[in-house]
Amino acid sequence: MHLDIPDIKQEVSTGSLPSRGRVDELVTAAYTRYRNHTAGAVADYIPALADADPNLFGVCVVESAGATHAVGDTDTLFSIQSISKAFVYALVCEAFGHEAVHKRVGVNNTGLPFNSVMAIELNHGHPMNPMVNAGALATTALTPGCTFDEKWEGIRATLSDFAGRELVVDDEVYRSESETNMRNKALARLLQSYGRIDIDPLGVVDIYTRQCSLLVTARDLAVMGATLADAGVNPLTGERVVSARVCRDTLAVLASTGMYEGSGDWLFEIGLPAKSGVSGGIVAVAPGKGAVATFSPPLDSAGNSERGQRVIARLSRALGLNLFASSVQVATR
Ligand code: GLU
């Protein structure tokens, strides 16, 4: 679909959050409401993830203006997993423009599981979007750098800039996933056969696995999301990480595909672009306002954190974050 939208200056739809004290109260209330919620199961298809403590639970809001509200296990480290896909997509768009990624990868929902081989076959080799494994592998392959070492360093450095601190790999998770990721290797080979990956596919899987193994906290995720909410400037460090245009494009992709097969229901109920990962993290972004991040390992059948989804649904309403919610304005005719 090509809409031929002229390149005109665009106003942004921003509003304001409640007062800091009120946000603190609402974050604490949401945490308390779901602290004893026990539904879901910890992911175990990557052996190292099976050991996660299902009781861990943290909620963090970082405002675009920099204020932080954190309750629970918001400084516990866990591997970022699929949430890395959002930020690597932003990195590639920043380097080469979103058209390049759009052409190679696409932005439409597959309607199929995140690691589907069938989705590639049904779409004649097109990976469809950068938030499923096939599209993420094709996106990681596009990262700038002549060698895999250069590509990896660019990924690690950019995700660190989003977080505002140096991120490192969890070696145990990296090793565990490397030993069991035959399916991702198969996806990469299949993409190579369709010309969607034109460098060594196993090298691509290796740096993709490393990007998924980067250690973050719920607080880091909230800062990373708040950077996307703040037109690409990290609200804590003041550093510009990507352009405002790249944030807009990344959030559009997250809105349609960030929550696995639950993406449509999520947008309908919560009204925010978000990304989740199988280690139990979720980050949801309210453009111009900030980001909410949660960490709680037990997942539903689509792979989204049970408690995380509930907390963010509640905060989206309580903080007035839903992008589709409006109130009547007094006419000025
Ligand atoms: N590294 C994981 C995989 O490729 C990421 C899965 C996820 O978080 O969705 O299977």
Side-chain angles (χ1 to χ4, degrees):
M1 180 177 59
H2 184 64
L3 295 177
D4 193 23
I5 301 169
D7 201 13
I8 47 176
K9 181 173 180 312
Q10 180 178 294
E11 298 303 330
V12 289
S13 91
T14 53
S16 44
L17 289 167
S19 69
R20 285 187 186 190
R22 182 73 186 132
V23 176
D24 271 335
E25 280 169 23
L26 292 167
V27 170
T28 304
Y31 171 85
T32 309
R33 170 74 180 75
Y34 295 109
R35 191 172 36 200
N36 298 321
H37 186 87
T38 55
V42 170
D44 58 4
Y45 77 99
I46 299 172
L49 297 185
D51 299 333
D53 177 355
N55 298 314
L56 289 169
F57 181 34
V59 183
C60 186
V61 171
V62 171
E63 300 185 19
S64 312
T68 300
H69 313 265
V71 187
D73 301 311
T74 50
D75 293 318
T76 301
L77 291 163
F78 57 95
S79 56
I80 188 170
Q81 296 301 336
S82 255
I83 301 173
S84 64
K85 292 169 179 164
F87 299 95
V88 173
Y89 173 76
L91 155 66
V92 174
C93 288
E94 179 73 9
F96 302 116
H98 83 301
E99 284 301 336
V101 198
H102 198 172
K103 239 171 64 204
R104 179 75 66 99
V105 183
V107 293
N108 281 322
N109 210 315
T110 65
L112 290 164
F114 71 96
N115 57 359
S116 175
V117 172
M118 202 161 73
I120 304 180
E121 290 295 339
L122 288 175
N123 292 293
H124 313 290
H126 200 280
M128 298 302 285
N129 83 69
M131 299 303 134
V132 292
N133 284 13
L137 288 162
T139 306
T140 293
L142 288 175
T143 51
C146 300
T147 63
F148 283 113
D149 282 347
E150 281 176 21
K151 284 174 175 292
W152 165 242
E153 190 38 38
I155 292 170
R156 199 199 59 77
T158 303
L159 268 63
S160 298
D161 289 344
F162 269 110
R165 70 177 189 90
E166 288 299 311
L167 301 181
V168 297
V169 163
D170 182 325
D171 289 325
E172 195 199 335
V173 171
Y174 166 66
R175 222 173 308 116
S176 177
E177 183 164 349
S178 298
E179 285 164 5
T180 51
N181 61 357
M182 296 77 180
R183 199 174 177 94
N184 285 341
K185 288 172 182 147
L187 287 173
R189 284 267 187 232
L190 190 57
L191 290 169
Q192 180 191 29
S193 79
Y194 279 110
R196 299 278 168 184
I197 288 182
D198 53 15
I199 55 176
D200 171 28
L202 296 186
V204 173
V205 174
D206 181 59
I207 51 173
Y208 165 82
T209 308
R210 279 194 252 176
Q211 88 184 37
C212 290
S213 307
L214 282 170
L215 284 167
V216 291
T217 63
R219 189 184 294 268
D220 290 329
L221 288 181
V223 177
M224 296 171 88
T227 302
L228 290 175
D230 192 31
V233 174
N234 182 314
L236 299 194
T237 64
E239 185 193 344
R240 174 164 293 287
V241 185
V242 290
S243 68
R245 169 69 197 255
V246 165
C247 292
R248 197 190 74 190
D249 293 341
T250 305
L251 294 177
V253 172
L254 295 191
S256 59
T257 61
M259 298 295 284
Y260 305 113
E261 298 107 282
S263 297
D265 287 332
W266 173 273
L267 197 59
F268 184 74
E269 294 290 352
I270 284 107
L272 289 174
K275 184 73 198 93
S276 76
V278 291
S279 47
I282 302 181
V283 58
V285 180
K289 292 181 178 170
V292 187
T294 54
F295 173 53
S296 168
L299 310 177
D300 68 11
S301 58
N304 297 313
S305 166
E306 284 276 2
R307 279 197 288 209
Q309 292 179 89
R310 285 173 171 76
V311 165
I312 297 174
R314 190 181 166 109
L315 286 176
S316 170
R317 280 174 182 70
L319 297 173
L321 306 180
N322 189 319
L323 295 177
F324 306 114
S326 58
S327 56
V328 176
Q329 298 295 302
V330 178
T332 51
R333 285 178 294 246

